[in-house]
Amino acid sequence: MEFKIGAKIKKLRKARKLTLQDVARETGFSPALISQIENNNVSPPIATLSKLARFFDVKMGHFFEEEEEEHKYEVVRRGGRRVISRVISKAGTGHGYTYEALSFRKHNKKMEPFMVTISERAGEETLYNHDGEEFLLILKGRAEVLLDEERIILEEGDAVYFDSSLRHRLLSYDGEEVQVLAVVTR
């Protein structure tokens, strides 16, 4: 099942009586990209979603929640994860990755856990940064993490924790599939 991320962004924008141009001006994304996201033609990368959440003053989890009631805990079975695919960059080029939300019932979380699968060695032209912190654990494959000017090779079982304000990007080191547990905070 796909989330209705686009519809939620549109609802937040309409509730604040903002135009696509208003949101674009404040976030630095193009009105066309925001429109594509709202119409569910593309899915925003995690960093883009984080910036939109900050702009609308909601937690990132708001985009993944499916019901109103509060849960004290949550179990998400392997088959019950929510997959976000069709992730594209600002340039409109493919990212070659999908991510799965590992929590979507618990409200007001301080952490956002995702399973990220990188299926190719995508280009490095875009490095992201956003508020918060990030923790990555390599579950499968060899990854390359770009942190500002640093390039770090991570093997299966290796982990990295960093400040998300650093410009960063996660790549497959050799073009083979990489699976990563990513935990993001704002």
Side-chain angles (χ1 to χ4, degrees):
M1 131 139 198
E2 283 264 356
F3 295 101
K4 300 186 172 55
I5 292 175
K8 288 183 175 169
I9 291 170
K10 187 179 269 182
K11 190 174 171 187
L12 287 167
R13 179 174 65 78
K14 299 270 195 207
R16 289 161 175 75
K17 298 184 168 47
L18 296 169
T19 65
L20 288 169
Q21 284 73 18
D22 295 332
V23 179
R25 194 166 45 245
E26 293 299 320
T27 59
F29 305 122
S30 72
L33 177 63
I34 294 164
S35 173
Q36 284 188 302
I37 291 169
E38 284 190 0
N39 294 315
N40 243 11
N41 296 332
V42 299
S43 302
I46 294 171
T48 302
L49 207 53
S50 176
K51 282 190 172 163
L52 287 167
R54 185 170 177 76
F55 171 69
F56 287 117
D57 196 31
V58 296
K59 285 193 153 65
M60 210 158 46
H62 172 82
F63 300 119
F64 304 105
E65 289 162 5
E66 50 179 21
E67 66 244 341
E68 299 307 308
E69 70 183 280
E70 176 58 90
H71 293 263
K72 294 264 183 256
Y73 70 90
E74 168 184 25
V75 175
V76 176
R77 303 286 179 202
R78 182 190 296 248
R81 297 175 187 165
R82 299 295 152 92
V83 182
I84 315 295
S85 53
R86 302 193 313 276
V87 176
I88 64 132
S89 66
K90 284 187 208 167
T93 53
H95 269 320
Y97 84 82
T98 58
Y99 56 98
E100 300 166 83
L102 300 177
S103 170
F104 42 86
R105 293 186 195 97
K106 180 100 181 68
H107 293 207
N108 296 313
K109 299 187 280 290
K110 294 182 174 57
M111 301 180 288
E112 290 294 338
F114 298 100
M115 176 73 77
V116 179
T117 303
I118 302 169
S119 47
E120 61 192 55
R121 185 174 172 90
E124 311 171 5
E125 69 286 344
T126 315
L127 293 177
Y128 295 106
N129 65 319
H130 48 95
D131 289 334
E133 298 179 334
E134 226 162 294
F135 169 79
L136 306 174
L137 172 64
I138 311 304
L139 301 175
K140 178 182 154 202
R142 291 180 84 193
E144 184 171 18
V145 178
L146 312 182
L147 295 174
D148 277 341
E149 307 303 314
E150 300 276 330
R151 307 178 78 87
I152 304 159
I153 309 296
L154 296 174
E155 308 280 346
E156 240 165 74
D158 292 349
V160 61
Y161 191 114
F162 57 92
D163 192 315
S164 311
S165 64
L166 285 173
R167 292 171 58 253
H168 59 278
R169 182 77 187 260
L170 179 64
L171 303 164
S172 163
Y173 176 72
D174 49 15
E176 298 294 311
E177 184 177 274
V178 176
Q179 282 193 328
V180 182
L181 171 66
V183 181
V184 181
T185 69
R186 201 173 109 181

